[in-house]
Amino acid sequence: MIGSYAGISFTVSEDKVQTFQEMSRETASRWNTHEVIGAKPKQEFLGPDLDSMSFTMNLSAWRGVSPLQLAERLRQFCSKGEYDNLIVGGRNFGKYLIESVSETYNVVNNRGEVVQASIDVSLKEYV
């Protein structure tokens, strides 16, 4: 197993490919700007900001995954405001909530079934 999040196991095997690509992480800090008459503004460090992470899952029924079922699980997790530990390669990145889920239906068969889809997931650190 590659990792897990929201009750979903990221895995690659002969029968099933259910993992992500292009994972990115952003770390930022919070600053306030104070105006000063006749001089440049002064910056005040407020503290760290919440980390953000995102990834894309390219899912295919031909690789043992139902793209719509997995997308529905992620949408429900997002809609309910739930959070979970994001674990990749045995490393726990901490608790994250889903800010958004975006789906692209890449292949739809002649019965109207989505057999291949790309799902973009945006996460925000939860503290």
Side-chain angles (χ1 to χ4, degrees):
M1 181 171 69
I2 296 167
S4 64
Y5 178 72
I8 297 167
S9 295
F10 303 123
T11 184
V12 175
S13 69
E14 270 183 42
D15 304 323
K16 187 177 189 178
V17 176
Q18 181 173 285
T19 191
F20 57 85
Q21 295 79 36
E22 301 175 19
M23 178 177 269
S24 65
R25 181 179 188 180
E26 180 180 340
T27 300
S29 56
R30 296 177 297 122
W31 292 83
N32 199 358
T33 302
H34 300 281
E35 298 297 328
V36 177
I37 296 173
K40 290 186 176 186
K42 301 290 182 186
Q43 299 282 21
E44 177 185 9
F45 178 69
L46 299 177
D49 205 351
L50 298 171
D51 282 0
S52 298
M53 295 189 81
S54 64
F55 56 83
T56 300
M57 298 183 79
N58 293 311
L59 304 171
S60 172
W62 301 306
R63 294 187 172 171
V65 179
S66 170
L68 288 184
Q69 284 180 357
L70 197 125
E72 177 64 21
R73 286 175 67 185
L74 291 167
R75 280 195 313 270
Q76 285 181 0
F77 200 83
C78 179
S79 295
K80 291 178 180 177
E82 296 181 27
Y83 56 90
D84 193 15
N85 287 307
L86 174 64
I87 299 169
V88 178
R91 179 177 179 206
N92 187 345
F93 284 89
K95 291 181 177 17
Y96 281 81
L97 56 86
I98 298 178
E99 277 195 310
S100 67
V101 177
S102 175
E103 304 163 49
T104 302
Y105 303 148
N106 302 321
V107 178
V108 179
N109 68 16
N110 62 354
R111 293 184 302 268
E113 300 166 334
V114 176
V115 292
Q116 191 171 355
S118 297
I119 303 171
D120 296 314
V121 181
S122 296
L123 307 174
K124 184 70 87 172
E125 183 179 17
Y126 177 85
V127 291

